[in-house]
Coordinates of all heavy atoms in Angstrom, one line a residue:
Chain A
G25 N 88.7 2.7 -31.8 CA 88.8 3.6 -33.0 C 89.9 3.3 -34.0 O 90.5 2.2 -34.0
A26 N 90.1 4.3 -34.8 CA 91.2 4.1 -35.9 C 92.5 4.2 -35.3 O 93.5 3.6 -35.8 CB 91.1 5.3 -36.9
R27 N 92.7 4.8 -34.1 CA 94.0 4.7 -33.4 C 93.7 4.8 -32.0 O 93.2 5.8 -31.4 CB 94.9 5.9 -33.8 CG 96.3 5.8 -33.6 CD 96.8 6.2 -32.1 NE 96.9 7.6 -32.1 CZ 96.2 8.5 -31.7 NH1 94.9 8.1 -31.3 NH2 96.3 9.8 -31.6
Y29 N 93.8 5.0 -27.8 CA 94.5 5.9 -26.8 C 93.9 5.8 -25.5 O 92.8 5.2 -25.3 CB 94.5 7.3 -27.3 CG 93.1 8.0 -27.3 CD1 92.6 8.6 -26.2 CD2 92.4 8.0 -28.5 CE1 91.5 9.3 -26.2 CE2 91.2 8.7 -28.5 CZ 90.7 9.2 -27.3 OH 89.4 9.9 -27.3
N56 N 110.2 4.2 -26.6 CA 111.3 5.0 -26.5 C 111.4 6.1 -27.5 O 112.1 7.0 -27.5 CB 112.6 4.2 -26.8 CG 112.5 3.2 -27.8 OD1 111.6 3.3 -28.7 ND2 113.5 2.4 -28.0
R59 N 106.6 10.2 -31.0 CA 106.4 10.6 -32.4 C 105.9 12.0 -32.6 O 106.4 12.8 -33.4 CB 105.4 9.6 -33.1 CG 105.8 8.1 -32.9 CD 105.1 7.3 -34.0 NE 103.8 7.1 -33.6 CZ 102.9 6.5 -34.5 NH1 103.3 6.1 -35.7 NH2 101.6 6.3 -34.2
C60 N 104.9 12.3 -31.7 CA 104.2 13.6 -32.0 C 103.4 14.1 -30.8 O 103.0 13.1 -30.0 CB 103.2 13.4 -33.2 SG 102.6 15.0 -33.7
I61 N 103.3 15.2 -30.5 CA 102.4 15.9 -29.6 C 101.4 16.7 -30.4 O 101.8 17.7 -31.0 CB 103.1 16.7 -28.5 CG1 104.1 15.8 -27.7 CG2 102.0 17.2 -27.5 CD1 104.9 16.5 -26.7
T62 N 100.1 16.3 -30.3 CA 99.1 17.1 -30.9 C 98.2 17.8 -29.9 O 97.6 17.2 -29.0 CB 98.2 16.1 -31.9 OG1 99.0 15.3 -32.6 CG2 97.3 17.0 -32.6
A63 N 98.2 19.1 -30.0 CA 97.2 19.8 -29.1 C 95.9 20.1 -29.8 O 95.9 20.4 -31.0 CB 97.8 21.3 -28.8
L64 N 94.8 19.8 -29.0 CA 93.4 20.0 -29.6 C 92.8 21.1 -28.8 O 92.9 21.1 -27.6 CB 92.8 18.6 -29.4 CG 93.3 17.3 -30.0 CD1 92.5 16.2 -29.5 CD2 93.4 17.5 -31.5
D77 N 101.7 10.7 -29.0 CA 101.8 9.5 -29.8 C 103.2 8.8 -29.7 O 104.2 9.5 -29.9 CB 101.6 9.7 -31.3 CG 100.2 9.6 -31.6 OD1 99.6 8.5 -31.8 OD2 99.5 10.6 -31.8
L79 N 106.0 5.4 -30.2 CA 106.4 4.3 -31.1 C 107.5 3.5 -30.3 O 108.2 4.1 -29.7 CB 106.9 4.8 -32.4 CG 107.6 3.8 -33.4 CD1 106.5 2.9 -33.9 CD2 108.3 4.6 -34.5
V81 N 110.7 1.4 -30.9 CA 111.7 1.0 -31.7 C 112.6 0.0 -30.9 O 113.3 0.3 -30.1 CB 112.6 2.3 -32.2 CG1 113.8 1.7 -33.0 CG2 111.7 3.2 -33.0
D83 N 115.3 -1.5 -30.2 CA 116.7 -1.4 -30.5 C 117.5 -2.1 -29.4 O 117.5 -1.7 -28.3 CB 117.2 0.1 -30.6 CG 118.6 0.2 -30.9 OD1 119.1 -0.8 -31.7 OD2 119.4 1.1 -30.4
G85 N 120.7 -2.9 -29.9 CA 122.1 -2.7 -30.1 C 122.6 -3.6 -31.2 O 123.8 -3.4 -31.7
G86 N 121.9 -4.5 -31.7 CA 122.3 -5.4 -32.8 C 122.1 -4.8 -34.2 O 121.7 -3.7 -34.4
D87 N 122.4 -5.6 -35.2 CA 122.3 -5.2 -36.5 C 121.0 -5.8 -37.3 O 120.9 -5.5 -38.4 CB 123.6 -5.8 -37.2 CG 123.8 -5.1 -38.5 OD1 123.6 -3.8 -38.6 OD2 124.4 -5.6 -39.4
A88 N 120.2 -6.5 -36.5 CA 119.1 -7.2 -37.1 C 118.0 -6.1 -37.5 O 117.8 -5.1 -36.9 CB 118.5 -8.2 -36.4
L89 N 117.2 -6.5 -38.6 CA 116.1 -5.6 -39.0 C 115.0 -5.7 -37.9 O 114.7 -6.8 -37.5 CB 115.6 -6.1 -40.4 CG 114.4 -5.3 -40.9 CD1 114.8 -3.8 -41.3 CD2 113.7 -6.0 -42.1
I90 N 114.4 -4.5 -37.6 CA 113.4 -4.5 -36.6 C 112.1 -4.9 -37.3 O 111.6 -4.2 -38.3 CB 113.3 -3.1 -35.9 CG1 114.6 -3.0 -35.1 CG2 112.1 -3.1 -35.0 CD1 114.8 -1.5 -34.6
P92 N 107.9 -6.2 -37.7 CA 106.6 -5.6 -37.4 C 106.1 -6.2 -35.9 O 105.5 -5.4 -35.2 CB 105.7 -6.2 -38.4 CG 106.5 -6.4 -39.6 CD 107.9 -6.7 -39.1
T95 N 107.3 -4.2 -33.2 CA 106.9 -2.8 -33.1 C 105.5 -2.6 -32.8 O 104.6 -3.2 -33.2 CB 107.1 -2.2 -34.6 OG1 108.4 -2.7 -35.0 CG2 107.0 -0.7 -34.6
I97 N 102.5 0.7 -31.3 CA 102.3 2.1 -31.1 C 101.2 2.2 -30.0 O 100.5 1.4 -29.6 CB 101.8 2.8 -32.3 CG1 100.6 2.2 -32.9 CG2 102.9 2.9 -33.4 CD1 99.9 2.9 -34.0
R101 N 96.1 10.6 -24.0 CA 95.5 12.1 -24.1 C 95.4 12.6 -22.7 O 95.0 12.0 -21.8 CB 94.1 11.9 -24.7 CG 93.4 13.2 -24.9 CD 92.0 12.9 -25.3 NE 91.9 12.7 -26.8 CZ 90.9 13.4 -27.5 NH1 90.2 14.2 -26.9 NH2 90.8 13.1 -28.7
P119 N 113.7 13.8 -24.9 CA 114.1 15.1 -25.4 C 113.4 15.6 -26.7 O 113.3 16.7 -27.0 CB 115.6 14.9 -25.7 CG 116.1 13.7 -24.9 CD 114.8 12.8 -24.8
A120 N 112.8 14.6 -27.4 CA 112.0 15.0 -28.5 C 110.8 15.8 -28.2 O 110.4 16.7 -29.1 CB 111.6 13.7 -29.3
W123 N 110.7 20.4 -28.6 CA 110.2 21.2 -29.6 C 108.7 21.0 -29.9 O 108.0 21.9 -30.1 CB 111.0 21.0 -30.9 CG 112.3 21.7 -31.0 CD1 113.1 22.1 -30.0 CD2 113.0 22.1 -32.2 NE1 114.2 22.8 -30.4 CE2 114.1 22.8 -31.8 CE3 112.7 22.1 -33.6 CZ2 115.0 23.3 -32.7 CZ3 113.6 22.5 -34.5 CH2 114.7 23.2 -34.1
H124 N 108.3 19.8 -29.6 CA 106.9 19.5 -29.8 C 106.0 20.4 -28.7 O 105.0 20.9 -29.0 CB 106.4 18.0 -29.6 CG 106.9 17.2 -30.8 ND1 106.5 17.4 -32.1 CD2 107.7 16.1 -30.9 CE1 107.0 16.5 -32.8 NE2 107.8 15.7 -32.2
E127 N 105.9 23.9 -29.7 CA 104.9 24.1 -30.8 C 103.6 24.2 -30.2 O 102.8 25.0 -30.6 CB 105.1 23.0 -31.8 CG 104.3 23.3 -33.1 CD 104.3 22.2 -34.0 OE1 105.2 21.4 -34.2 OE2 103.2 22.1 -34.8
R143 N 109.5 28.8 -25.2 CA 109.4 30.0 -26.0 C 108.6 29.6 -27.2 O 108.4 28.5 -27.5 CB 110.8 30.5 -26.6 CG 111.7 31.0 -25.6 CD 113.0 31.5 -26.2 NE 113.8 30.3 -26.6 CZ 114.4 30.1 -27.8 NH1 114.0 31.0 -28.8 NH2 115.1 29.1 -28.1
I145 N 107.9 29.1 -31.0 CA 108.9 28.3 -31.9 C 108.7 28.7 -33.3 O 109.6 28.9 -34.2 CB 108.9 26.8 -31.7 CG1 110.1 26.1 -32.5 CG2 107.6 26.1 -32.0 CD1 110.4 24.8 -32.0
L146 N 107.4 28.8 -33.8 CA 107.1 29.1 -35.2 C 106.7 30.5 -35.4 O 107.0 31.1 -36.4 CB 105.9 28.1 -35.7 CG 106.3 26.6 -35.8 CD1 105.1 25.8 -36.1 CD2 107.4 26.4 -36.7
P155 N 97.3 30.8 -32.6 CA 96.5 30.7 -33.9 C 95.7 29.4 -34.0 O 94.7 29.5 -34.7 CB 97.7 30.7 -34.9 CG 98.8 31.3 -34.4 CD 98.7 31.0 -32.9
L156 N 96.0 28.3 -33.4 CA 95.2 27.2 -33.7 C 93.9 27.0 -32.8 O 93.2 26.1 -33.0 CB 96.0 25.8 -33.5 CG 97.0 25.6 -34.7 CD1 97.6 24.3 -34.6 CD2 96.1 25.5 -36.0
R157 N 93.8 28.0 -31.8 CA 92.5 27.9 -31.1 C 91.4 28.3 -31.9 O 91.5 29.1 -32.9 CB 92.6 28.9 -29.9 CG 93.7 28.5 -28.9 CD 93.3 29.2 -27.6 NE 94.2 28.7 -26.6 CZ 94.1 29.1 -25.3 NH1 93.1 29.9 -24.8 NH2 95.0 28.7 -24.5
K158 N 90.2 27.6 -31.6 CA 89.1 27.8 -32.5 C 88.5 29.3 -32.5 O 88.0 29.6 -33.5 CB 88.0 26.8 -32.1 CG 88.4 25.4 -32.2 CD 88.4 24.9 -33.7 CE 88.6 23.4 -33.8 NZ 89.0 23.0 -35.2
Chain B
P60 N 119.1 26.7 -33.3 CA 118.4 26.9 -34.3 C 117.1 27.8 -34.1 O 116.5 27.6 -33.0 CB 118.0 25.5 -34.9 CG 118.3 24.6 -33.8 CD 119.0 25.3 -32.7
H61 N 116.8 28.6 -34.9 CA 115.7 29.4 -34.8 C 114.8 29.2 -36.1 O 115.3 29.5 -37.2 CB 115.9 31.0 -34.6 CG 116.5 31.3 -33.3 ND1 115.8 31.9 -32.2 CD2 117.7 31.1 -32.8 CE1 116.6 32.0 -31.3 NE2 117.8 31.6 -31.5
I62 N 113.6 28.8 -35.9 CA 112.8 28.4 -37.1 C 111.6 29.3 -37.2 O 111.3 30.0 -36.3 CB 112.5 26.8 -37.1 CG1 111.7 26.5 -36.0 CG2 113.7 26.1 -37.1 CD1 111.1 25.1 -36.0
G63 N 110.8 29.0 -38.2 CA 109.5 29.6 -38.3 C 109.4 30.6 -39.4 O 108.3 31.3 -39.6
H66 N 106.7 29.8 -41.8 CA 105.4 29.3 -41.2 C 104.2 29.8 -41.8 O 104.0 31.0 -42.1 CB 105.4 29.6 -39.7 CG 104.2 29.1 -39.0 ND1 103.9 27.8 -39.0 CD2 103.3 29.8 -38.1 CE1 102.8 27.6 -38.3 NE2 102.3 28.8 -37.8
E70 N 98.2 23.8 -40.7 CA 97.3 23.0 -40.0 C 96.0 23.7 -39.9 O 94.9 23.1 -39.8 CB 97.9 22.7 -38.5 CG 99.1 21.8 -38.8 CD 100.0 21.7 -37.4 OE1 99.4 22.2 -36.4 OE2 101.0 21.1 -37.5
K71 N 96.0 25.1 -39.7 CA 94.8 25.8 -39.6 C 93.9 25.7 -40.9 O 92.7 25.6 -40.9 CB 95.0 27.2 -39.2 CG 93.9 28.1 -38.9 CD 93.5 27.9 -37.5 CE 92.4 29.0 -37.1 NZ 92.0 28.7 -35.7
E74 N 91.7 22.7 -41.3 CA 90.5 22.7 -40.5 C 89.4 23.4 -41.3 O 88.2 23.5 -40.9 CB 90.6 23.3 -39.2 CG 91.6 22.6 -38.2 CD 91.9 23.5 -36.9 OE1 91.3 24.6 -36.8 OE2 92.8 23.1 -36.3
R229 N 123.2 5.8 -31.1 CA 121.9 5.1 -31.2 C 120.8 5.6 -30.4 O 119.8 6.0 -30.7 CB 122.0 3.6 -31.1 CG 123.1 2.9 -32.0 CD 123.1 1.4 -31.5 NE 122.1 0.7 -32.0 CZ 122.2 -0.3 -32.9 NH1 123.3 -0.6 -33.4 NH2 121.1 -1.0 -33.2
I233 N 117.3 7.9 -31.0 CA 115.9 7.5 -30.6 C 115.3 8.5 -29.7 O 114.2 8.9 -29.7 CB 115.9 6.0 -30.1 CG1 116.3 5.1 -31.1 CG2 114.5 5.7 -29.5 CD1 116.5 3.7 -30.6
R234 N 116.1 9.0 -28.7 CA 115.6 9.9 -27.7 C 115.1 11.1 -28.2 O 114.2 11.7 -27.8 CB 116.7 10.2 -26.6 CG 116.8 9.2 -25.4 CD 118.1 9.0 -24.8 NE 118.8 10.4 -24.6 CZ 118.7 11.1 -23.5 NH1 117.8 10.8 -22.6 NH2 119.4 12.2 -23.4
W235 N 115.9 11.6 -29.3 CA 115.4 12.9 -29.9 C 114.5 12.7 -31.0 O 114.1 13.6 -31.8 CB 116.7 13.6 -30.5 CG 117.2 14.7 -29.5 CD1 116.8 16.1 -29.6 CD2 118.1 14.6 -28.4 NE1 117.4 16.7 -28.6 CE2 118.2 15.9 -27.9 CE3 118.8 13.5 -27.9 CZ2 119.0 16.1 -26.7 CZ3 119.6 13.8 -26.8 CH2 119.7 15.1 -26.2
G236 N 113.9 11.5 -31.2 CA 112.9 11.3 -32.1 C 113.5 11.4 -33.6 O 112.6 11.7 -34.5
V247 N 120.5 2.0 -36.3 CA 119.3 1.3 -36.0 C 118.6 0.9 -37.2 O 118.2 1.7 -38.1 CB 118.4 2.2 -35.2 CG1 117.1 1.4 -34.7 CG2 119.1 2.8 -34.0
R248 N 118.5 -0.4 -37.4 CA 117.8 -0.9 -38.8 C 116.3 -0.9 -38.6 O 115.6 -1.9 -38.5 CB 118.3 -2.3 -39.0 CG 118.4 -2.6 -40.5 CD 119.0 -4.0 -40.7 NE 120.4 -4.1 -40.6 CZ 121.3 -3.9 -41.6 NH1 120.9 -3.6 -42.8 NH2 122.6 -4.0 -41.3
F249 N 115.8 0.3 -38.6 CA 114.3 0.5 -38.5 C 113.7 1.3 -39.7 O 114.3 2.4 -40.0 CB 114.0 1.3 -37.2 CG 112.5 1.5 -36.9 CD1 111.9 0.4 -36.4 CD2 111.9 2.6 -37.4 CE1 110.5 0.6 -36.1 CE2 110.5 2.7 -37.0 CZ 109.8 1.7 -36.4
K253 N 109.1 -1.5 -43.5 CA 109.3 -2.9 -43.1 C 108.5 -3.1 -41.7 O 107.9 -4.2 -41.5 CB 110.8 -3.2 -42.8 CG 111.5 -3.3 -44.1 CD 111.4 -4.7 -44.7 CE 112.4 -4.9 -45.8 NZ 112.1 -6.0 -46.6
A254 N 108.6 -2.1 -40.7 CA 108.1 -2.4 -39.4 C 106.6 -2.2 -39.4 O 106.0 -2.9 -38.5 CB 108.8 -1.5 -38.5
M255 N 106.1 -1.3 -40.0 CA 104.6 -1.1 -40.0 C 104.2 -0.8 -41.5 O 103.9 0.3 -41.9 CB 104.2 0.1 -39.2 CG 104.5 0.0 -37.8 SD 104.3 1.4 -36.8 CE 102.6 1.7 -36.7
V267 N 117.2 -2.8 -45.9 CA 117.3 -1.5 -45.1 C 118.6 -1.3 -44.8 O 119.2 -1.9 -43.9 CB 116.3 -1.5 -43.9 CG1 116.4 -0.2 -43.1 CG2 114.9 -1.9 -44.2
V269 N 122.0 0.6 -43.2 CA 122.3 1.3 -42.0 C 123.8 1.7 -42.1 O 124.6 1.3 -42.8 CB 122.1 0.5 -40.6 CG1 120.6 0.3 -40.5 CG2 122.9 -0.8 -40.7
D330 N 86.1 10.5 -35.0 CA 87.2 9.7 -34.5 C 88.4 10.4 -34.8 O 88.5 11.5 -35.4 CB 87.0 8.3 -35.2 CG 87.9 7.3 -34.5 OD1 88.5 7.5 -33.4 OD2 88.0 6.1 -35.0
E331 N 89.6 9.7 -34.3 CA 90.8 10.3 -34.7 C 91.8 9.4 -35.1 O 91.7 8.2 -34.7 CB 91.4 11.2 -33.5 CG 91.6 10.3 -32.3 CD 92.3 11.0 -31.1 OE1 91.6 12.1 -30.7 OE2 93.3 10.7 -30.5
T332 N 92.9 9.7 -35.8 CA 93.9 8.7 -36.2 C 95.2 9.5 -36.3 O 95.2 10.7 -36.6 CB 93.5 7.9 -37.5 OG1 94.4 6.8 -37.6 CG2 93.6 8.8 -38.7
Y333 N 96.3 8.7 -36.3 CA 97.7 9.2 -36.5 C 98.3 8.2 -37.3 O 98.6 7.1 -36.9 CB 98.3 9.6 -35.2 CG 99.7 10.1 -35.4 CD1 99.9 11.4 -35.7 CD2 100.8 9.3 -35.2 CE1 101.2 11.9 -36.0 CE2 102.1 9.8 -35.4 CZ 102.3 11.1 -35.7 OH 103.5 11.6 -36.0
E335 N 101.8 7.4 -39.9 CA 103.1 7.8 -40.3 C 103.6 7.0 -41.5 O 103.2 5.8 -41.6 CB 104.2 7.6 -39.2 CG 104.1 8.7 -38.2 CD 105.2 8.7 -37.2 OE1 105.9 7.7 -37.2 OE2 105.5 9.6 -36.5
Q342 N 110.1 9.8 -40.8 CA 108.7 9.6 -40.7 C 107.8 10.7 -40.7 O 107.8 11.5 -39.8 CB 108.5 8.6 -39.4 CG 109.2 7.4 -39.4 CD 109.2 6.7 -38.1 OE1 108.5 6.9 -37.3 NE2 110.1 5.6 -38.0
Y346 N 98.0 13.7 -38.2 CA 97.0 13.4 -37.2 C 95.8 14.1 -37.7 O 95.8 15.2 -38.1 CB 97.4 14.1 -35.9 CG 96.3 14.0 -34.8 CD1 96.4 13.0 -33.8 CD2 95.2 14.9 -34.9 CE1 95.4 12.9 -32.9 CE2 94.3 14.9 -33.8 CZ 94.3 13.9 -32.9 OH 93.3 13.8 -31.9
S356 N 88.1 18.3 -37.9 CA 88.3 19.4 -37.0 C 89.6 19.7 -36.5 O 89.9 20.7 -35.9 CB 87.3 19.1 -35.8 OG 87.9 17.9 -35.1
R357 N 90.6 18.9 -36.9 CA 92.1 19.1 -36.5 C 92.9 18.3 -37.5 O 92.6 17.2 -37.7 CB 92.3 18.7 -35.1 CG 93.8 18.9 -34.7 CD 94.0 20.4 -34.3 NE 95.3 20.5 -33.6 CZ 96.4 20.8 -34.2 NH1 96.4 21.1 -35.4 NH2 97.6 20.9 -33.4
K359 N 97.1 17.8 -38.0 CA 98.4 18.1 -37.5 C 99.4 17.3 -38.3 O 99.3 16.2 -38.6 CB 98.4 17.7 -36.1 CG 99.8 17.4 -35.5 CD 100.4 18.6 -34.8 CE 101.7 18.4 -34.4 NZ 102.6 19.4 -34.3
R361 N 103.3 16.0 -38.6 CA 104.6 15.9 -37.8 C 105.7 15.7 -38.9 O 105.8 14.7 -39.6 CB 104.6 14.7 -37.0 CG 105.8 14.3 -36.3 CD 106.5 13.1 -36.8 NE 107.4 12.5 -35.9 CZ 108.7 12.3 -36.1 NH1 109.2 12.5 -37.3 NH2 109.4 11.8 -35.2
F365 N 111.5 18.5 -38.8 CA 111.4 19.3 -37.6 C 112.0 18.6 -36.4 O 112.7 19.1 -35.7 CB 109.8 19.5 -37.4 CG 109.4 20.2 -36.1 CD1 109.4 21.5 -36.1 CD2 109.0 19.4 -35.0 CE1 109.0 22.2 -34.9 CE2 108.6 20.1 -33.8 CZ 108.6 21.4 -33.9
C366 N 111.7 17.2 -36.3 CA 112.2 16.5 -35.3 C 113.7 16.2 -35.4 O 114.5 16.3 -34.5 CB 111.6 15.2 -35.1 SG 109.8 15.3 -34.8
S369 N 115.8 19.2 -34.3 CA 115.8 19.6 -32.9 C 117.1 19.0 -32.2 O 117.4 19.4 -31.1 CB 114.6 19.0 -32.2 OG 114.6 17.6 -32.1
R399 N 106.1 24.4 -41.8 CA 104.7 24.2 -42.2 C 103.9 25.4 -42.3 O 103.0 25.7 -41.4 CB 104.1 23.2 -41.3 CG 104.8 21.9 -41.2 CD 104.1 20.9 -40.4 NE 103.9 21.2 -39.0 CZ 104.9 21.2 -38.1 NH1 106.0 20.7 -38.4 NH2 104.7 21.6 -36.9

Side-chain angles (χ1 to χ4, degrees):
Chain A
R27 201 270 279 95
Y29 64 90
N56 46 9
R59 304 200 286 175
C60 190
I61 299 176
T62 309
L64 306 171
D77 270 285
L79 169 71
V81 176
D83 180 33
D87 198 35
L89 178 71
I90 296 168
T95 310
I97 57 168
R101 179 191 277 230
W123 279 26
H124 285 303
E127 191 187 327
R143 290 180 287 128
I145 188 165
L146 294 173
L156 281 182
R157 290 207 182 183
K158 294 286 183 195
Chain B
H61 291 259
I62 62 173
H66 181 55
E70 294 169 8
K71 189 84 170 176
E74 295 171 9
R229 302 172 77 115
I233 296 174
R234 270 153 45 86
W235 260 269
V247 184
R248 210 179 283 270
F249 183 84
K253 288 281 191 191
M255 294 169 73
V267 178
V269 289
D330 193 4
E331 62 179 51
T332 192
Y333 179 76
E335 283 191 343
Q342 294 170 16
Y346 174 99
S356 61
R357 178 81 165 98
K359 155 94 184 157
R361 178 253 198 231
F365 178 83
C366 299
S369 69
R399 299 186 297 283

